[in-house]
Amino acid sequence: LGEAWLELTADTPPELAEQFRVQVGGWGADFCRAYTRCGGQAVLLSQLGADPFGRKAAARLAADGVDCSRLCFTDASRTPVVFSGAGETLSYRARSSELCYAPEQLDTNAFRDAFALCFSSACLLDSPARLTHLKAIAAARTNGTFVCYAPRMAESAPYWPDAASLWETAHAFFPQADVLLLKSSDLFP
């Protein structure tokens, strides 16, 4: 459960770039791809914009073996776009499609035969997506699905309005997980 976006990556800082490579980014998308490369079956639960970037991201993920059958698409918000290069990241994500992924859009049947639900802090902003995470966790618990939380606060920080709200929200979700995948940046501000 989490974010997917179209990432335009360069070898130089974005403002100096003449060319960008197109890839799909976002913790949810990256985790699903990594799991399928290891031989697992991953379903991405998220929402993309019903725009060319959303269709391109979904097609790339499907080509990488990620099950995109439960992805939602919306005309109300755009697919996020991130420009990156030389360690610099510029995000165009304000009220983007994955943050508008509402609880009523979540197909809780996804947890019927699922081994694990995995999520990070990037979509836990005060948004419909936070409520969707709570519903997903409850559905996972009902179905005996393992809950894994990788806060990834350093990676999520650029998408939050301030560090204090990220820290408070991310730590409030710690007790929701069966397993925490922690980095030192998740424990110390």
Side-chain angles (χ1 to χ4, degrees), residues 147-161:
V147 177
C148 177
Y149 177 32
R152 300 298 180 258
M153 285 191 259
E155 294 87 346
S156 298
Y159 311 110
W160 279 73

Side-chain angles (χ1 to χ4, degrees), residues 82-159:
V82 174
F83 294 87
S84 64
E88 195 174 317
T89 301
L90 301 170
S91 172
Y92 293 89
R93 185 182 183 232
R95 288 294 164 204
S96 57
S97 58
E98 83 282 5
L99 294 177
C100 297
Y101 185 37
E104 60 271 13
Q105 293 176 275
L106 180 70
D107 179 3
T108 56
N109 289 324
F111 302 104
R112 190 170 288 149
D113 296 319
F115 169 72
L117 164 67
C118 300
F119 67 98
S120 75
S121 299
C123 287
L124 297 179
L125 289 154
D126 186 15
S127 68
R130 183 189 301 178
L131 300 175
T132 304
H133 277 68
L134 292 170
K135 182 178 179 180
I137 292 166
R141 294 264 179 253
T142 298
N143 286 285
T145 301
F146 181 79
V147 177
C148 177
Y149 177 32
R152 300 298 180 258
M153 285 191 259
E155 294 87 346
S156 298
Y159 311 110

Side-chain angles (χ1 to χ4, degrees), residues 6-189:
L6 202 65
E7 189 162 340
L8 303 174
T9 306
D11 296 325
T12 63
E15 68 270 12
L16 301 176
E18 294 292 326
Q19 294 182 339
F20 291 92
R21 291 178 305 284
V22 178
Q23 59 190 40
V24 177
W27 189 87
D30 290 344
F31 190 87
C32 284
R33 266 200 311 259
Y35 192 69
T36 59
R37 278 194 300 268
C38 292
Q41 295 176 336
V43 176
L44 179 61
L45 302 172
S46 189
Q47 179 168 252
L48 295 166
D51 53 47
F53 290 151
R55 289 189 298 274
K56 186 173 193 73
R60 286 260 173 111
L61 289 167
D64 289 340
V66 175
D67 182 342
C68 295
S69 65
R70 289 194 165 89
L71 273 178
C72 294
F73 293 87
T74 181
D75 287 318
S77 301
R78 303 257 182 224
T79 300
V81 177
V82 174
F83 294 87
S84 64
E88 195 174 317
T89 301
L90 301 170
S91 172
Y92 293 89
R93 185 182 183 232
R95 288 294 164 204
S96 57
S97 58
E98 83 282 5
L99 294 177
C100 297
Y101 185 37
E104 60 271 13
Q105 293 176 275
L106 180 70
D107 179 3
T108 56
N109 289 324
F111 302 104
R112 190 170 288 149
D113 296 319
F115 169 72
L117 164 67
C118 300
F119 67 98
S120 75
S121 299
C123 287
L124 297 179
L125 289 154
D126 186 15
S127 68
R130 183 189 301 178
L131 300 175
T132 304
H133 277 68
L134 292 170
K135 182 178 179 180
I137 292 166
R141 294 264 179 253
T142 298
N143 286 285
T145 301
F146 181 79
V147 177
C148 177
Y149 177 32
R152 300 298 180 258
M153 285 191 259
E155 294 87 346
S156 298
Y159 311 110
W160 279 73
D162 60 81
S165 61
L166 167 59
W167 186 260
E168 181 180 329
T169 302
H171 283 106
F173 275 80
F174 276 25
Q176 303 285 337
D178 296 309
V179 167
L180 293 166
L181 300 175
L182 297 172
K183 297 170 97 176
S184 60
S185 60
D186 296 330
L187 298 172
F188 308 103

